Amino acid sequence: MKSIKYITMLMLGMGLSISSLNAKETVEYRDFKNSAGKVIKAVLVDKTDIKAVFLMQNGRRSSVDISALSKEDQEYVKGWNKAKAYFLTKCRSLSVGALLTLRGYEAIPIKLDGNSIVVDAKINGKPAKFVVDTGAGTSLFHTGSAIRTGCKLGPFEHKVYGVSGEVPAALAQVDTLQIGESVFKNREILATDLMKDMPKGAKRRDDGLFGAEMLSELDAVISYQERTLFLRPDKSDSAKVKAVDDDQANEDALTFRIFKSKTGKIYRGNITKKTATVISVKTEKGKKIQLSISQLSPEDSEYAKNWTPEGALFLQHCRSLTIQELLELRAYQSFKYQRKGNHIFVDGTLNGNEVTWMIDTGADSSLLHLKAAHDNKVDVGPMDQKVYGVGGEAPAAGCTVESVTLGDALFKKRRILATNLDRFEQGLTYVGLFGADFMRECNAVITYREQRMFMIQVK
């Protein structure tokens, strides 16, 4: 009984209640050795810079000098992370979305049109759709959409460039651009004819490109597996919750979830308890309010129905984990990408040669630079194909690629197109566009805040 009582006290001290444990769960003990070779069977439950706290098999806690352990165990203790350990044992089902929405992100559902990510938006209060495009350095409107939504167009004295060429553009004066609760005000965004050279009868599926400058500004996270775009609305021009300059205060602000009512009212806080019909929420300013579950948005209503006190305790211990830590614990590969301007680049291989790829969610299919295809011994066919994009159409060749890799992700014997990508940028440093087809296949996650890309290939 003494051991059970002690374990109970220890778990409560860690913020874990007995009711949250499955009776069939067992503690996994590890063999730790001291410098003399003596073995201790225990579980590491806490540590300081110099001490390791173990839960022994008899239920007692023991504090040991880290320096007294074997070199291998010293490394294990130094690399041990309490939040990670909690996640692996109790929070493995925690999704990227759950972590992000608890940290102040808003989840924006996406639709896949082909492989392209499309989100609903509003331009000057009128409904619109945008392709989320990491390959577009800046956002871009279709001129027809700009006119439809009441944007004033300036003279067509600018140019925009795409894989297919160049096209004249004008600055569109946008009073408001809204995606979810993120609102941009009084912005000048380039507008051009995004239907140039499109086949007869083609229809525009969207109103423009939601580009990398706005994605970066809102600390965007793109998750193909969850089919969700996550944004920080407090980073936009019109924020329900104001961003702050102090880093720690900014991090503290991320520990509250955004709740929305069906009428569009916004609350930011954490659930403290609930009944079958009402949740009690403590706001970031410490105010206690009650919200009817039936009056919340469908997503928040579902979240409230599934909320449990035990789950809240689990999330409390894992909230500090970064997206990188969370996904690496779930066997995702992690890539620190390079930012050049607003574009994202990742190193990989093409037919076994080390190369650099541009990450482009706006490219429905991956695309090679023609010269790079020849240089890397890709089987290039005749130039009897076409690619379409900003600037119109361009000739392209069908190619057979033996292999493409990013980390451990391997794509073999793929048919993709190649075209001349350096019409306006001589001496490209990348071999092509790593497009949405490959990213969707590998459940890619892209984070702007952490500047990382993650992939897991289902075999």
Side-chain angles (χ1 to χ4, degrees):
M1 293 298 293
K2 184 177 179 181
S3 296
I4 293 174
K5 181 179 179 182
Y6 190 87
I7 294 172
T8 302
M9 292 175 64
L10 175 64
M11 289 188 295
L12 291 174
M14 293 172 64
L16 180 64
S17 66
I18 282 291
S19 63
S20 66
L21 288 176
N22 186 311
K24 295 182 180 179
E25 288 181 334
T26 58
V27 177
E28 294 184 9
Y29 292 94
R30 186 180 192 274
D31 288 343
F32 292 90
K33 292 181 181 179
N34 62 18
S35 54
K38 183 179 178 180
V39 176
I40 305 169
K41 278 191 174 294
V43 176
L44 180 60
V45 294
D46 209 346
K47 71 174 181 178
T48 66
D49 289 341
I50 59 174
K51 296 281 188 179
V53 181
F54 294 115
L55 172 64
M56 314 299 286
Q57 283 183 304
N58 62 6
R60 295 181 180 275
R61 271 201 305 185
S62 177
S63 181
V64 178
D65 287 337
I66 296 175
S67 60
L69 298 172
S70 67
K71 288 185 177 180
E72 179 184 353
D73 290 332
Q74 286 184 44
E75 289 301 313
Y76 173 83
V77 172
K78 289 176 182 177
W80 181 85
N81 178 288
K82 191 171 185 177
K84 288 183 180 181
Y86 216 100
F87 172 82
L88 287 172
T89 56
K90 304 299 175 189
C91 306
R92 193 181 294 272
S93 62
L94 182 65
S95 68
V96 179
L99 175 70
L100 289 169
T101 54
L102 281 165
R103 290 172 59 90
Y105 281 79
E106 181 186 9
I108 310 294
I110 64 178
K111 297 175 183 177
L112 291 176
D113 188 342
N115 290 315
S116 296
I117 298 172
V118 180
V119 294
D120 291 328
K122 289 183 179 179
I123 305 172
N124 296 338
K126 298 179 180 179
K129 295 182 182 297
F130 280 90
V131 170
V132 178
D133 192 350
T134 61
T138 58
S139 298
L140 192 63
F141 280 169
H142 176 49
T143 47
S145 299
I147 294 169
R148 176 182 66 81
T149 55
C151 298
K152 183 179 179 181
L153 290 176
F156 283 79
E157 58 187 12
H158 303 272
K159 288 183 179 180
V160 291
Y161 304 92
V163 297
S164 304
E166 67 177 46
V167 65
L171 285 173
Q173 181 62 47
V174 183
D175 294 334
T176 60
L177 167 59
Q178 181 174 357
I179 295 183
E181 295 304 320
S182 298
V183 181
F184 297 94
K185 289 187 172 182
N186 301 318
R187 295 288 180 112
E188 287 187 326
I189 300 176
L190 284 171
T192 190
D193 180 9
L194 293 176
M195 293 296 292
K196 183 176 184 293
D197 294 339
M198 293 297 286
K200 186 177 180 180
K203 295 182 179 180
R204 189 72 202 163
R205 63 185 179 181
D206 56 76
D207 296 284
L209 309 178
F210 191 62
E213 91 286 16
M214 289 185 175
L215 292 169
S216 179
E217 192 171 336
L218 298 180
D219 285 347
V221 178
I222 301 167
S223 175
Y224 277 87
Q225 185 173 32
E226 296 183 78
R227 295 198 176 189
T228 305
L229 170 69
F230 299 93
L231 302 175
R232 285 273 306 277
D234 57 307
K235 293 276 191 175
S236 66
D237 297 336
S238 179
K240 301 288 184 181
V241 181
K242 298 294 183 184
V244 290
D245 294 329
D246 179 70
D247 287 342
Q248 185 55 51
N250 201 14
E251 283 300 313
D252 291 343
L254 287 175
T255 63
F256 296 94
R257 193 181 196 277
I258 294 173
F259 292 90
K260 288 189 289 188
S261 72
K262 289 179 178 178
T263 60
K265 195 167 183 180
I266 302 298
Y267 305 91
R268 195 169 196 161
N270 289 323
I271 300 176
T272 56
K273 60 182 179 179
K274 75 169 184 177
T275 67
T277 58
V278 174
I279 56 172
S280 298
V281 174
K282 185 176 182 180
T283 69
E284 59 178 338
K285 295 182 179 179
K287 184 180 178 181
K288 295 180 180 179
I289 60 174
Q290 290 190 325
L291 302 174
S292 171
I293 295 175
S294 64
Q295 295 305 308
L296 294 173
S297 68
E299 179 186 349
D300 290 330
S301 177
E302 188 68 20
Y303 173 86
K305 290 175 183 177
N306 293 331
W307 180 91
T308 64
E310 293 80 11
L313 288 173
F314 296 161
L315 295 179
Q316 176 185 350
H317 288 282
C318 294
R319 188 187 286 125
S320 63
L321 292 177
T322 63
I323 301 301
Q324 179 183 355
E325 291 169 325
L326 178 69
L327 290 179
E328 287 180 351
L329 285 169
R330 300 177 77 172
Y332 274 77
Q333 300 174 74
S334 175
F335 306 91
K336 179 75 174 178
Y337 60 67
Q338 307 164 49
R339 282 283 297 276
K340 296 180 182 178
N342 286 321
H343 292 121
I344 296 173
F345 298 91
V346 174
D347 292 332
T349 70
L350 173 60
N351 286 353
N353 300 318
E354 293 184 359
V355 298
T356 299
W357 293 89
M358 178 191 285
I359 303 301
D360 191 352
T361 61
D364 224 39
S365 301
S366 298
L367 185 66
L368 284 173
H369 175 42
L370 192 59
K371 182 178 184 303
H374 288 297
D375 290 345
N376 289 277
K377 296 181 171 53
V378 172
D379 182 10
V380 180
M383 298 289 286
D384 57 359
Q385 307 287 318
K386 290 182 180 180
V387 291
Y388 299 91
V390 175
E393 66 177 38
C399 300
T400 300
V401 177
E402 291 298 319
S403 69
V404 170
T405 67
L406 245 62
D408 294 333
L410 172 63
F411 308 88
K412 296 181 68 175
K413 291 286 185 182
R414 297 302 172 100
R415 288 287 295 175
I416 61 177
L417 293 176
T419 191
N420 183 10
L421 292 175
D422 68 351
R423 296 180 186 85
F424 313 106
E425 183 183 350
Q426 298 300 313
L428 287 186
T429 57
Y430 57 96
V431 295
L433 308 180
F434 192 88
D437 51 345
F438 287 169
M439 284 185 279
R440 183 179 179 184
E441 184 177 329
C442 287
N443 291 325
V445 176
I446 300 170
T447 70
Y448 275 83
R449 182 178 176 85
E450 295 179 28
Q451 295 193 18
R452 301 194 82 86
M453 176 178 173
F454 308 88
M455 300 176 72
I456 185 167
Q457 194 166 30
V458 180
K459 298 180 179 179

